[in-house]
Amino acid sequence: MEMDRCSRSQRRVLPEPASRAQQTLPPRLSRVNGWSKPLHRYQAVSWAMFVTLALATFGIFIPMLPGMWKYIVYGVSGGLLLFHVIVYLVCVSIDPGEDNVRRKIYGEPLPTFDRSKQHHVIEDLYCCLCGVTVSEKAKHCRACNKCIAGFDHHCKWLNNCIGCRNYWWFFSSLASASAWLLCVVSVLLYIVIQHQVDPLVLRTDPQYKNINSQNTWLLFLPYFHLKAKTPVFVIIAVLVLVLDLISLLMIGQLFIFHLYLMSKGMSTYNYLNRSHRHSSGASSRNKIPSFRVQISPE
């Protein structure tokens, strides 16, 4: 009965090049969420980036701000970072799978997709791999090896799929990260500019009373008194500023992109499909040879 249903016309699946699909087999076990092993290396990169920026921001640069600004920035920046950590952890921890898929036992291996027997994974709203009926907007994710409810995209940075069950957590994560990085950029720009205009404004902490040299800076105030010469301090400030700008550019661009998708009522999957159809149509009109991409999750 299931084989009959799998032989019908294809409905909703992920776009994958046919050549790649035939060369790579899907994982045997389905992933539960972003904590399922193996963890993606992009996760380690994002964690290391935010830990580095947080340590530098709260330990080195915010303590240099004068007067009440120090405590105001502590509150605003700390609140934004805490909110980001919460929504990030929730987004990673949520299982975005279809209801019928989440009722199954994830420990049981799924059958391997065999193109010689089946043309598509999801046909007539039935997934031949998950063995369940799915909703119209569900897609079978190649990386997670399960059907995702309201599939938007698979995020390597979160090591999890983004669907209707965790999309708003994902969007909140982008918004809070962008806001926090923008706050950090503002602090760093002030520190760098003020260092050139009047460095004494950055040396208002009481611990500087015991420092006679204007070429010596104290890092990680007020708990530690790690001394650093001006060239070292400037290098640290510039490196952290560059790292922050790169992060803001990447995350901010993604945040603006999802704002655009929301204004159009589209998902990332729909946008990429439409872009592919337009590019394929333009190539055909210009009589430019192109590879045909088969719609398949495998």
Side-chain angles (χ1 to χ4, degrees), residues 5 25 32 50 56 89 111 124 162 164 168 174 201 222 250:
R5 300 185 70 173
L25 294 177
V32 178
F50 271 92
L89 292 176
D124 287 346
I162 306 301
C164 62
W168 279 106
L174 290 180
V201 176
M250 295 174 59

Side-chain angles (χ1 to χ4, degrees), residues 1 3-10 119-120 122-124:
M1 179 64 178
M3 292 300 298
D4 293 338
R5 300 185 70 173
C6 291
S7 63
R8 299 174 187 172
S9 59
Q10 178 266 348
H119 293 292
H120 305 287
I122 298 181
E123 298 179 345
D124 287 346

Side-chain angles (χ1 to χ4, degrees), residues 58 75-89 176 180:
F58 292 98
V76 173
S77 182
L80 287 173
L81 183 59
L82 178 62
F83 178 76
H84 170 72
V85 171
I86 292 175
V87 295
Y88 172 89
L89 292 176
S176 57
W180 181 70

Side-chain angles (χ1 to χ4, degrees), residues 47-291:
W47 296 341
M49 176 188 66
F50 271 92
V51 169
T52 300
L53 289 175
L55 287 176
T57 301
F58 292 98
I60 299 178
F61 301 112
I62 294 182
M64 294 182 177
L65 297 178
M68 289 299 297
W69 282 108
K70 178 191 306 183
Y71 305 102
I72 293 175
V73 175
Y74 265 133
V76 173
S77 182
L80 287 173
L81 183 59
L82 178 62
F83 178 76
H84 170 72
V85 171
I86 292 175
V87 295
Y88 172 89
L89 292 176
V90 173
C91 184
V92 173
S93 303
I94 286 178
D95 180 357
E98 277 275 299
D99 290 339
N100 290 340
V101 173
R102 289 187 288 113
R103 295 190 186 102
K104 296 172 68 69
I105 300 176
Y106 281 110
E108 297 180 353
L110 294 182
T112 302
F113 181 65
D114 188 349
R115 192 171 296 282
S116 64
K117 298 179 181 179
Q118 302 158 341
H119 293 292
H120 305 287
V121 174
I122 298 181
E123 298 179 345
D124 287 346
L125 303 183
Y126 180 84
C127 179
C128 300
L129 290 185
C130 294
V132 296
T133 301
V134 296
S135 60
E136 184 179 0
K137 294 184 178 180
K139 313 289 184 296
H140 190 96
C141 175
R142 175 186 180 85
C144 295
N145 198 24
K146 66 181 180 183
C147 289
I148 307 300
F151 180 84
D152 185 85
H153 71 284
H154 181 85
C155 181
K156 295 180 180 179
W157 296 95
L158 300 178
N159 198 35
N160 199 15
C161 265
I162 306 301
C164 62
R165 300 193 68 243
N166 62 348
Y167 181 83
W168 279 106
W169 295 102
F170 167 75
F171 183 79
S172 298
S173 177
L174 290 180
S176 57
S178 300
W180 181 70
L181 291 171
L182 186 60
C183 179
V184 175
V185 165
S186 302
V187 172
L188 289 170
L189 287 177
Y190 172 82
I191 296 293
V192 171
I193 294 174
Q194 193 62 53
H195 181 268
Q196 299 299 320
V197 176
D198 184 9
L200 292 178
V201 176
L202 306 176
R203 303 169 67 91
T204 58
D205 191 276
Q207 297 296 332
Y208 278 104
K209 294 180 180 180
N210 301 322
I211 304 299
N212 296 324
S213 174
Q214 298 295 322
N215 195 38
T216 301
W217 295 85
L218 297 178
L219 310 183
F220 300 103
L221 292 172
Y223 304 106
F224 301 98
H225 307 145
L226 183 62
K227 295 182 180 180
K229 296 299 181 180
T230 297
V232 176
F233 166 71
V234 172
I235 291 175
I236 293 175
V238 172
L239 290 178
V240 173
L241 179 59
V242 170
L243 177 60
D244 189 273
L245 288 174
I246 293 175
S247 304
L248 181 59
L249 178 63
M250 295 174 59
I251 297 179
Q253 183 181 24
L254 187 58
F255 172 64
I256 294 174
F257 173 67
H258 277 273
L259 282 177
Y260 167 79
L261 293 180
M262 292 172 61
S263 67
K264 298 294 183 180
M266 300 174 60
S267 66
T268 304
Y269 173 81
N270 297 139
Y271 175 84
L272 294 177
N273 266 354
R274 189 183 68 171
S275 299
H276 173 72
R277 288 195 300 268
H278 287 176
S279 61
S280 298
S283 299
S284 300
R285 289 191 297 270
N286 295 329
K287 297 182 179 180
I288 299 177
S290 61
F291 293 100

